[in-house]
Amino acid sequence: MRFQLLGPLALSDGPDTVVLQPSKPANLLAALLLHANSPVSAEYLQRAVWGEEQPATARAALQTCVLRLRRLFSKHGVTTSIEAVPGGYRITAAPPTLDLLGFRDRVRRAAGLDRDPEAELCALRDALSLWQGSLLANVRSVVLHRDEVPRLAEERLRAVERVCDLLLGLGRCGEALVDLWTATRVHPGHERFHEQLIEALYRCGRQSQALAEYRRVKGFLLEELGVDPSPSLRRLELAVLRGEDLGPAGPAAPRVIRGETVPLPAARSALAPDAAPSTAPDAASATAQATASVTPQGASPVVAVSGTPAPAEGGPPVAAPASAPAAGTTFAPVAASRIEPVPAVPHFTGRAAETAALTARLTAPPPPGPEDHRPLTVLVSGAPGIGKSALAQHAARLARDAFPAGQLLVRMTRADGEPRPADEVAADVAAALGASGDGRALLILDDVVDADQVRPLLAPEGEAGAGPGPAVVVTSRMGLGGLIATHGGWVQRLTTFTEAESYALLLTALGAERVEAESRAAHRLAAVCGHFPAALRILTARLLTRPGLRLSDAAAWLGDDPLARLTLTDSPDHSVTGLFDRALDRLDPRLSEAFTHLAQGPPMLLDDQGPEDEGPVPEAVREQLADAGLLEDGPPGPYRIHDLLRAHVRRTARIRDRRTEKV
């Protein structure tokens, strides 16, 4: 049996976990575990349980709470006992039986591996994996949240900071960026994270973004706290402005500019870019140009435009192993590129009509026409996390017999969100298609941002009469109306699941026996997720790791704070909040500000009239937000905001206001 403190207070036994309900005994247990193996005075325990204003019978009630905990331990076979000691109580635990002690033990062992950065990084990642979400979310103790939770959070921040130092030192800047984007937004006043982010951006060759990040944190510190950036941050900005070489990033912390000036090598034109993959707009234009360069003249490629690659409907992206090509594939994946065989989508459910329509389009013969005939365009778009890429990949796999030369998934962006250069994608696509066999191939260009990224693909080039070129599936969050206007085509825009589709996904992922035993609770879970595919995939992943958790208990737990709990604790990047944050980060700052205003205001702001005291948000702005997948079609009204997205914006604003409140 194991106690869990680094998240909701819980008892776990192998795969079975019991999350304690908020209660006075839960407060008492948390206070004892936070000071495990040490005597804790009765006075402190009383304050932890009842707060500063205690009832007259607090001491007797404390004894009752101890008895209730002992009965709970006996019920669940917990061998640990709560001992009465002079003046208070003590609970005994060890790293295997208390996650907090396990975390500290792993951090200590990691510190002893400082001569082996890879081993230290692995040990720290292992330690951080013990954190299971919002700290003591089910413990209603003002004293513990005021005095203990910040101290524990600081221990985690130090570990995350060290992980990022190690990644930078190992040259894995792109991987560090993934952690640092989240850390800087969640902890805007933690300057060390900002230093690391700016350094990582600069070492990736993204000087302008590094300077923009410095200006952002400088504005925050001046506006909210009335202070200037730290000397080390200012020195880092100066080095970036001068284009100085930061030198090798040794894994020992901290390594960023210590006051000395490092000369720039004479032949140096830019910092060596990081090779890590990414996810941003212009990547798609790369693939567009790439395919244009290998499409024979007179070809009639089919272009399907859709969304972000996922392991399942609406799920987070998963790279498929290059060693598992689709049936009929005759090419080899390009080494060290972002091109691979189209992977299968596990547990794909729903979207029956959309799948049939897209498969029919992909397998239809190319339309006849002259050599300059524009290719057929199929546009599949929608909100981030709505399952566009899953649909594209699933339909491609169903249509694989129509593509004897094979199917390729081309990721247009890197893992840190940045687009891949067009010439890089063109070279990769040309190399991959050059190794293909006879017949037509299928390309899925993943995550297109604007029409200009696709248009070059639709300009026929190559040898006349060479037959149909590759069919191309492009995934995008944008509506790409400009592409439809200039090239024509067929539009397929995805929305949230129906109630039946959500239930079917739960049945497929969790098994009929578990879901049908609590069908009402399953429907409640789907409703709390807003029938949003990405949220449902994250939820099912969490429930699969806890097979003993009743769906009714999960529904109550999730309903308390769905945004905080729709995340995979061992992979924090796979979260609803992270998905929304990345989507909002792509917006122009003015659009982002307008969307925040809409989400925080009354629904009337989405109407053409708007409230009398404010008036409407301009229709052009609303159209742009709808095109970006952040506004959904009504009813009610012409537009609406998904409940999860609206709650995320409001929650983010509350957190920001709380953290920046002036004393």
Side-chain angles (χ1 to χ4, degrees):
M1 186 64 70
R2 180 182 180 85
F3 296 103
Q4 294 181 351
L5 269 179
L6 304 180
L9 180 62
L11 302 175
S12 67
D13 184 9
D16 299 325
T17 300
V18 177
V19 178
L20 302 186
Q21 295 298 315
S23 63
K24 298 294 189 295
N27 292 358
L28 172 61
L29 179 58
L32 288 168
L33 290 173
L34 286 166
H35 301 276
N37 303 319
S38 299
V40 186
S41 70
E43 290 75 12
Y44 175 82
L45 293 174
Q46 288 167 205
R47 284 193 293 112
V49 173
W50 286 279
E52 302 298 345
E53 297 183 8
Q54 303 163 25
T57 59
R59 185 169 290 274
L62 181 66
Q63 295 173 350
T64 302
C65 289
V66 171
L67 290 174
R68 289 176 61 184
L69 283 178
R70 287 171 174 164
R71 283 199 293 268
L72 177 70
F73 288 2
S74 176
K75 175 182 176 182
H76 292 284
V78 179
T79 56
T80 301
S81 62
I82 300 175
E83 307 171 65
V85 297
Y89 295 91
R90 176 176 58 202
I91 193 169
T92 303
T97 58
L98 177 57
D99 59 359
L100 174 58
L101 297 182
F103 169 74
R104 289 171 175 166
D105 181 63
R106 296 179 195 191
V107 169
R108 276 194 299 272
R109 283 191 278 116
L113 299 170
D114 56 336
R115 294 187 180 181
D116 185 349
E118 286 283 5
E120 184 182 359
L121 177 63
C122 183
L124 285 173
R125 291 281 199 200
D126 187 35
L128 288 168
S129 70
L130 294 175
W131 289 74
Q132 301 292 315
S134 185
L135 201 59
L136 298 181
N138 55 337
V139 174
R140 305 290 192 260
S141 169
V142 174
V143 170
L144 295 183
H145 281 277
R146 182 193 66 200
D147 299 339
E148 302 292 344
V149 167
R151 177 172 57 81
L152 294 183
E154 188 62 31
E155 291 186 48
R156 180 181 179 276
L157 288 182
R158 286 204 300 269
V160 173
E161 186 179 304
R162 181 59 180 164
V163 163
C164 295
D165 273 330
L166 289 165
L167 289 172
L168 291 174
L170 292 165
R172 291 153 62 177
C173 299
E175 191 176 338
L177 283 172
V178 177
D179 292 327
L180 288 168
W181 282 121
T182 301
T184 52
R185 272 50 184 175
V186 175
H187 307 283
H190 193 102
E191 290 188 63
R192 178 59 186 146
F193 282 145
H194 292 287
E195 286 183 46
Q196 292 172 316
L197 176 58
I198 293 168
E199 180 184 353
L201 288 168
Y202 186 48
R203 290 186 183 278
C204 287
R206 294 154 62 179
Q207 183 182 29
S208 60
Q209 281 186 272
L211 291 172
E213 181 63 21
Y214 176 81
R215 288 192 294 271
R216 196 189 72 80
V217 67
K218 179 180 179 181
F220 169 82
L221 293 171
L222 285 173
E223 181 180 348
E224 302 297 340
L225 305 175
V227 298
D228 290 319
S230 65
S232 58
L233 258 178
R234 295 199 298 272
R235 288 194 295 270
L236 179 58
E237 182 217 14
L238 186 60
V240 174
L241 283 169
R242 292 173 174 171
E244 294 176 354
D245 187 347
L246 301 185
R255 303 165 318 288
V256 193
I257 313 296
R258 295 181 178 81
E260 68 276 10
T261 301
V262 183
L264 185 68
R268 184 184 181 84
S269 60
L271 290 176
D274 177 62
S278 136
T279 24
D282 292 332
S285 71
T287 308
Q289 296 169 7
T291 311
S293 68
V294 295
T295 302
Q297 188 175 2
S300 299
V302 177
V303 181
V305 184
S306 97
T308 309
E313 179 61 28
V318 173
S323 59
T329 301
T330 58
F331 53 79
V334 179
S337 80
R338 298 283 282 167
I339 298 182
E340 60 194 71
V342 174
V345 181
H347 301 310
F348 187 93
T349 56
R351 309 290 193 208
E354 293 90 339
T355 300
L358 182 53
T359 304
R361 295 282 174 173
L362 290 176
T363 55
E371 291 182 354
D372 62 349
H373 185 78
R374 293 195 182 278
L376 174 67
T377 302
V378 181
L379 171 62
V380 183
S381 59
I386 208 70
K388 304 176 294 296
S389 296
L391 173 64
Q393 292 175 24
H394 184 63
R397 298 275 295 188
L398 292 177
R400 61 182 175 271
D401 290 342
F403 304 101
Q407 301 173 311
L408 284 171
L409 175 65
V410 183
R411 301 194 188 277
M412 303 300 294
T413 52
R414 298 191 173 114
D416 58 4
E418 283 300 297
R420 297 175 62 205
D423 54 351
E424 174 189 305
V425 178
D428 284 354
V429 170
L433 290 179
S436 64
D438 296 333
R440 194 164 59 146
L442 170 67
L443 300 178
I444 296 181
L445 310 181
D446 190 50
D447 204 6
V448 168
V449 173
D450 56 40
D452 288 339
Q453 296 180 320
V454 178
R455 286 193 179 100
L457 285 170
L458 309 183
E461 294 181 9
E463 300 178 7
V472 181
V473 178
V474 183
T475 74
S476 179
R477 299 172 183 176
M478 306 300 293
L480 298 181
L483 183 69
I484 299 300
T486 56
H487 290 74
W490 174 72
V491 178
Q492 186 176 61
R493 190 169 181 88
L494 299 184
T495 60
T496 54
F497 275 160
T498 64
E499 188 173 350
E501 287 176 322
S502 296
Y503 189 78
L505 187 148
L506 294 176
L507 278 173
T508 303
L510 301 178
E513 182 179 355
R514 187 176 183 185
V515 173
E516 290 177 350
E518 297 183 86
S519 59
R520 288 187 178 181
H523 283 292
R524 286 203 307 275
L525 282 170
V528 173
C529 290
H531 304 289
F532 199 74
L536 287 164
R537 293 305 308 173
I538 292 170
L539 171 68
T540 55
R542 294 208 68 167
L543 291 177
L544 283 170
T545 64
R546 298 185 175 186
L549 182 63
R550 289 172 49 84
L551 298 190
S552 56
D553 294 335
W557 169 76
L558 182 64
D560 287 342
D561 193 352
L563 287 171
R565 290 163 183 174
L566 284 172
T567 182
L568 301 182
T569 54
D570 62 338
S571 183
D573 294 326
H574 293 163
S575 67
V576 170
T577 56
L579 177 71
F580 291 157
D581 279 337
R582 289 189 291 273
L584 294 172
D585 284 345
R586 281 193 180 185
L587 286 181
D588 178 279
R590 290 168 294 183
L591 275 181
S592 181
E593 184 178 347
F595 182 72
T596 300
H597 176 60
L598 285 171
Q600 290 185 273
M604 292 181 295
L605 282 177
L606 292 169
D607 297 338
D608 290 331
Q609 298 299 320
E612 292 182 4
D613 57 337
E614 294 190 49
V617 171
E619 183 178 1
V621 172
R622 288 178 283 155
E623 282 288 320
Q624 286 179 281
L625 291 170
D627 190 59
L630 298 175
L631 296 185
E632 301 176 345
D633 293 333
Y639 301 116
R640 57 191 169 85
I641 300 175
H642 192 279
D643 289 342
L644 280 178
L645 184 52
R646 184 186 291 274
H648 170 70
V649 172
R650 292 178 172 177
R651 180 175 181 265
T652 301
R654 285 196 304 271
I655 292 172
R656 183 184 63 245
D657 292 343
R658 235 182 0 251
R659 287 190 177 123
T660 59
E661 184 178 355
K662 295 182 176 68
V663 179

